[in-house]
mmCIF file with all atom_site columns, all heavy atoms in Angstrom:
data_model
loop_
_atom_site.group_PDB
_atom_site.id
_atom_site.type_symbol
_atom_site.label_atom_id
_atom_site.label_alt_id
_atom_site.label_comp_id
_atom_site.label_asym_id
_atom_site.label_entity_id
_atom_site.label_seq_id
_atom_site.pdbx_PDB_ins_code
_atom_site.Cartn_x
_atom_site.Cartn_y
_atom_site.Cartn_z
_atom_site.occupancy
_atom_site.B_iso_or_equiv
_atom_site.pdbx_formal_charge
_atom_site.auth_seq_id
_atom_site.auth_comp_id
_atom_site.auth_asym_id
_atom_site.auth_atom_id
_atom_site.pdbx_PDB_model_num
ATOM 1  N N   . ASN A 1 318 ? -23.530 14.483 6.091  1.00 98.00 ? 1340 ASN A N   1
ATOM 2  C CA  . ASN A 1 318 ? -22.926 15.774 6.118  1.00 98.00 ? 1340 ASN A CA  1
ATOM 3  C C   . ASN A 1 318 ? -23.276 16.578 7.478  1.00 98.00 ? 1340 ASN A C   1
ATOM 4  O O   . ASN A 1 318 ? -23.160 17.750 7.570  1.00 98.00 ? 1340 ASN A O   1
ATOM 5  C CB  . ASN A 1 318 ? -23.517 16.575 4.940  1.00 98.00 ? 1340 ASN A CB  1
ATOM 6  C CG  . ASN A 1 318 ? -22.907 16.202 3.713  1.00 98.00 ? 1340 ASN A CG  1
ATOM 7  O OD1 . ASN A 1 318 ? -21.734 15.677 3.502  1.00 98.00 ? 1340 ASN A OD1 1
ATOM 8  N ND2 . ASN A 1 318 ? -23.742 15.996 2.619  1.00 98.00 ? 1340 ASN A ND2 1
ATOM 9  N N   . VAL A 1 319 ? -23.767 15.781 8.436  1.00 98.00 ? 1341 VAL A N   1
ATOM 10 C CA  . VAL A 1 319 ? -24.161 16.239 9.666  1.00 98.00 ? 1341 VAL A CA  1
ATOM 11 C C   . VAL A 1 319 ? -23.072 15.871 10.680 1.00 98.00 ? 1341 VAL A C   1
ATOM 12 O O   . VAL A 1 319 ? -22.384 16.716 11.438 1.00 98.00 ? 1341 VAL A O   1
ATOM 13 C CB  . VAL A 1 319 ? -25.411 15.854 10.201 1.00 98.00 ? 1341 VAL A CB  1
ATOM 14 C CG1 . VAL A 1 319 ? -25.738 16.257 11.692 1.00 98.00 ? 1341 VAL A CG1 1
ATOM 15 C CG2 . VAL A 1 319 ? -26.625 16.325 9.323  1.00 98.00 ? 1341 VAL A CG2 1
ATOM 16 N N   . ASN A 1 320 ? -22.759 14.477 10.771 1.00 98.00 ? 1342 ASN A N   1
ATOM 17 C CA  . ASN A 1 320 ? -21.772 14.096 11.786 1.00 98.00 ? 1342 ASN A CA  1
ATOM 18 C C   . ASN A 1 320 ? -20.449 13.529 11.216 1.00 98.00 ? 1342 ASN A C   1
ATOM 19 O O   . ASN A 1 320 ? -19.626 13.189 12.044 1.00 98.00 ? 1342 ASN A O   1
ATOM 20 C CB  . ASN A 1 320 ? -22.448 12.944 12.647 1.00 98.00 ? 1342 ASN A CB  1
ATOM 21 C CG  . ASN A 1 320 ? -23.590 13.704 13.550 1.00 98.00 ? 1342 ASN A CG  1
ATOM 22 O OD1 . ASN A 1 320 ? -23.307 14.729 14.164 1.00 98.00 ? 1342 ASN A OD1 1
ATOM 23 N ND2 . ASN A 1 320 ? -24.774 12.986 13.553 1.00 98.00 ? 1342 ASN A ND2 1
ATOM 24 N N   . PHE A 1 321 ? -20.400 13.148 10.002 1.00 98.00 ? 1343 PHE A N   1
ATOM 25 C CA  . PHE A 1 321 ? -19.150 12.565 9.540  1.00 98.00 ? 1343 PHE A CA  1
ATOM 26 C C   . PHE A 1 321 ? -18.315 13.679 8.872  1.00 98.00 ? 1343 PHE A C   1
ATOM 27 O O   . PHE A 1 321 ? -18.707 14.297 7.861  1.00 98.00 ? 1343 PHE A O   1
ATOM 28 C CB  . PHE A 1 321 ? -19.317 11.526 8.469  1.00 98.00 ? 1343 PHE A CB  1
ATOM 29 C CG  . PHE A 1 321 ? -19.232 10.088 9.094  1.00 98.00 ? 1343 PHE A CG  1
ATOM 30 C CD1 . PHE A 1 321 ? -19.848 9.784  10.192 1.00 98.00 ? 1343 PHE A CD1 1
ATOM 31 C CD2 . PHE A 1 321 ? -18.555 9.155  8.487  1.00 98.00 ? 1343 PHE A CD2 1
ATOM 32 C CE1 . PHE A 1 321 ? -19.773 8.466  10.861 1.00 98.00 ? 1343 PHE A CE1 1
ATOM 33 C CE2 . PHE A 1 321 ? -18.491 7.826  8.917  1.00 98.00 ? 1343 PHE A CE2 1
ATOM 34 C CZ  . PHE A 1 321 ? -19.021 7.494  10.183 1.00 98.00 ? 1343 PHE A CZ  1
ATOM 35 N N   . ALA A 1 322 ? -16.974 13.818 9.278  1.00 97.00 ? 1344 ALA A N   1
ATOM 36 C CA  . ALA A 1 322 ? -16.157 14.716 8.646  1.00 97.00 ? 1344 ALA A CA  1
ATOM 37 C C   . ALA A 1 322 ? -15.207 14.134 7.676  1.00 97.00 ? 1344 ALA A C   1
ATOM 38 O O   . ALA A 1 322 ? -14.810 14.707 6.564  1.00 97.00 ? 1344 ALA A O   1
ATOM 39 C CB  . ALA A 1 322 ? -15.275 15.324 9.764  1.00 97.00 ? 1344 ALA A CB  1
ATOM 40 N N   . PHE A 1 323 ? -14.740 12.800 7.832  1.00 97.00 ? 1345 PHE A N   1
ATOM 41 C CA  . PHE A 1 323 ? -13.768 12.056 7.019  1.00 97.00 ? 1345 PHE A CA  1
ATOM 42 C C   . PHE A 1 323 ? -13.938 10.673 7.001  1.00 97.00 ? 1345 PHE A C   1
ATOM 43 O O   . PHE A 1 323 ? -13.693 9.954  8.084  1.00 97.00 ? 1345 PHE A O   1
ATOM 44 C CB  . PHE A 1 323 ? -12.261 12.528 7.464  1.00 97.00 ? 1345 PHE A CB  1
ATOM 45 C CG  . PHE A 1 323 ? -11.180 12.021 6.537  1.00 97.00 ? 1345 PHE A CG  1
ATOM 46 C CD1 . PHE A 1 323 ? -10.795 12.822 5.532  1.00 97.00 ? 1345 PHE A CD1 1
ATOM 47 C CD2 . PHE A 1 323 ? -10.722 10.835 6.514  1.00 97.00 ? 1345 PHE A CD2 1
ATOM 48 C CE1 . PHE A 1 323 ? -9.867  12.418 4.611  1.00 97.00 ? 1345 PHE A CE1 1
ATOM 49 C CE2 . PHE A 1 323 ? -9.797  10.303 5.756  1.00 97.00 ? 1345 PHE A CE2 1
ATOM 50 C CZ  . PHE A 1 323 ? -9.308  11.080 4.689  1.00 97.00 ? 1345 PHE A CZ  1
ATOM 51 N N   . TRP A 1 324 ? -14.554 10.248 5.991  1.00 98.00 ? 1346 TRP A N   1
ATOM 52 C CA  . TRP A 1 324 ? -14.892 8.717  5.844  1.00 98.00 ? 1346 TRP A CA  1
ATOM 53 C C   . TRP A 1 324 ? -13.420 8.011  5.757  1.00 98.00 ? 1346 TRP A C   1
ATOM 54 O O   . TRP A 1 324 ? -12.755 8.100  4.760  1.00 98.00 ? 1346 TRP A O   1
ATOM 55 C CB  . TRP A 1 324 ? -15.792 8.440  4.654  1.00 98.00 ? 1346 TRP A CB  1
ATOM 56 C CG  . TRP A 1 324 ? -17.060 8.913  4.872  1.00 98.00 ? 1346 TRP A CG  1
ATOM 57 C CD1 . TRP A 1 324 ? -17.442 10.341 4.761  1.00 98.00 ? 1346 TRP A CD1 1
ATOM 58 C CD2 . TRP A 1 324 ? -18.359 8.261  4.925  1.00 98.00 ? 1346 TRP A CD2 1
ATOM 59 N NE1 . TRP A 1 324 ? -18.811 10.412 4.935  1.00 98.00 ? 1346 TRP A NE1 1
ATOM 60 C CE2 . TRP A 1 324 ? -19.342 9.332  5.058  1.00 98.00 ? 1346 TRP A CE2 1
ATOM 61 C CE3 . TRP A 1 324 ? -18.648 6.859  5.059  1.00 98.00 ? 1346 TRP A CE3 1
ATOM 62 C CZ2 . TRP A 1 324 ? -20.787 8.830  5.208  1.00 98.00 ? 1346 TRP A CZ2 1
ATOM 63 C CZ3 . TRP A 1 324 ? -19.990 6.537  5.194  1.00 98.00 ? 1346 TRP A CZ3 1
ATOM 64 C CH2 . TRP A 1 324 ? -21.053 7.509  5.229  1.00 98.00 ? 1346 TRP A CH2 1
ATOM 65 N N   . HIS A 1 325 ? -13.079 7.188  6.792  1.00 98.00 ? 1347 HIS A N   1
ATOM 66 C CA  . HIS A 1 325 ? -11.795 6.649  6.882  1.00 98.00 ? 1347 HIS A CA  1
ATOM 67 C C   . HIS A 1 325 ? -11.613 5.238  6.532  1.00 98.00 ? 1347 HIS A C   1
ATOM 68 O O   . HIS A 1 325 ? -10.749 4.851  5.847  1.00 98.00 ? 1347 HIS A O   1
ATOM 69 C CB  . HIS A 1 325 ? -11.270 6.898  8.290  1.00 98.00 ? 1347 HIS A CB  1
ATOM 70 C CG  . HIS A 1 325 ? -10.019 6.492  8.654  1.00 98.00 ? 1347 HIS A CG  1
ATOM 71 N ND1 . HIS A 1 325 ? -9.799  4.958  9.065  1.00 98.00 ? 1347 HIS A ND1 1
ATOM 72 C CD2 . HIS A 1 325 ? -8.724  6.936  8.552  1.00 98.00 ? 1347 HIS A CD2 1
ATOM 73 C CE1 . HIS A 1 325 ? -8.462  4.772  9.158  1.00 98.00 ? 1347 HIS A CE1 1
ATOM 74 N NE2 . HIS A 1 325 ? -7.820  5.892  8.956  1.00 98.00 ? 1347 HIS A NE2 1
ATOM 75 N N   . SER A 1 326 ? -12.492 4.448  7.077  1.00 98.00 ? 1348 SER A N   1
ATOM 76 C CA  . SER A 1 326 ? -12.295 2.896  6.754  1.00 98.00 ? 1348 SER A CA  1
ATOM 77 C C   . SER A 1 326 ? -13.647 2.179  6.870  1.00 98.00 ? 1348 SER A C   1
ATOM 78 O O   . SER A 1 326 ? -14.623 2.830  7.237  1.00 98.00 ? 1348 SER A O   1
ATOM 79 C CB  . SER A 1 326 ? -11.352 2.223  7.748  1.00 98.00 ? 1348 SER A CB  1
ATOM 80 O OG  . SER A 1 326 ? -11.652 2.580  9.114  1.00 98.00 ? 1348 SER A OG  1
#
Side-chain angles (χ1 to χ4, degrees):
N1340 294 318
V1341 175
N1342 288 315
F1343 259 48
F1345 188 93
W1346 296 66
H1347 176 275
S1348 53

